[in-house]
Amino acid sequence: MAQRVRVQNFGVSRDGIGAGAEQTLERPFGHVDPMQLMGWAFTTASFPGMENPEGSRGIEDYLTRDFAHGIGAEIMGRHKFGPQRGPWPEDGWRGWWGEEPPFHTPVFVLTHFEREPLQVGETTFHFVNGTPEEALALAKEAAGGLDVRIGGGVSTVRQFLDADLIDDMHVAIAPLEYGEGLKLWDSPEDLAGRFTIEKVTAPSGVEHCFLWR
């Protein structure tokens, strides 16, 4: 099967906000609380690294359990990797995820300031100054025939949507509104001309929106 480019378990509010603009070390999502957007995932039985036999089952557990299935590489924006701006400082920063990031695949970080690859646990981060098309070509080669995940943040997903490079998306729409912040869309129907769209509302109240070509 052909490699596909996927967005998985990406959280936004009802008004399409996926992150706040004022990111800091203490607040990776700015004024947006990730527990409000993604709390549904953390309470499932199979959330990676937090398995809880008493957690929720059903579709949301399946979505967290299936997160790594078939993925051979990830592409993320620089601000998903860390809060730094400008040239990379010599501060020893190794990402938000500790000594064993959850990816376990090559990760390609989009940045205007290239640097040597960084290995953290089983994950190697590659820092790429290039277009979405160039980064995707590198990621597909590294993925060894498996799919490539576009991991975010919002601006990175938008770049790949604008370049028409995404094949499948799962966006979890939390039942809240922020009014301002980094917006993925006004509504899923913005993409109706390019994707088939189906929605499922889970018992958590989150509307899971699936889009595919």
Side-chain angles (χ1 to χ4, degrees), residues 140-164:
K140 281 188 170 182
E141 181 177 3
L146 297 176
D147 293 345
V148 174
R149 181 193 299 120
I150 308 302
V154 176
S155 298
T156 297
V157 175
R158 285 282 356 157
Q159 285 181 50
F160 279 81
L161 279 173
D162 291 345
D164 203 28

Side-chain angles (χ1 to χ4, degrees), residues 6-33:
R6 299 158 57 186
V7 174
Q8 297 175 282
N9 296 2
F10 196 83
V12 301
S13 60
R14 272 196 300 248
D15 52 352
I17 304 298
E22 300 298 325
Q23 184 191 52
T24 66
L25 177 62
E26 295 75 21
R27 301 172 69 185
F29 284 70
H31 73 277
V32 169
D33 182 353

Side-chain angles (χ1 to χ4, degrees), residues 93-138:
W93 180 260
R94 294 161 62 84
W96 305 100
W97 305 280
E99 293 303 312
E100 193 56 72
F103 309 105
H104 308 291
T105 68
V107 174
F108 294 83
V109 181
L110 300 179
T111 174
H112 294 301
F113 299 91
E114 293 185 6
R115 57 184 284 191
E116 292 298 312
L118 174 66
Q119 184 166 350
V120 185
E122 296 181 355
T123 299
T124 300
F125 295 94
H126 303 268
F127 301 89
V128 178
N129 181 9
T131 65
E133 291 85 355
E134 291 168 338
L136 182 57
L138 292 172

Side-chain angles (χ1 to χ4, degrees), residues 64-86:
T64 58
R65 191 175 67 247
D66 195 52
F67 184 69
H69 182 72
I71 297 294
E74 171 155 334
I75 298 172
M76 66 173 63
R78 175 172 177 173
H79 297 156
K80 179 174 177 179
F81 179 78
Q84 300 87 352
R85 269 63 174 170

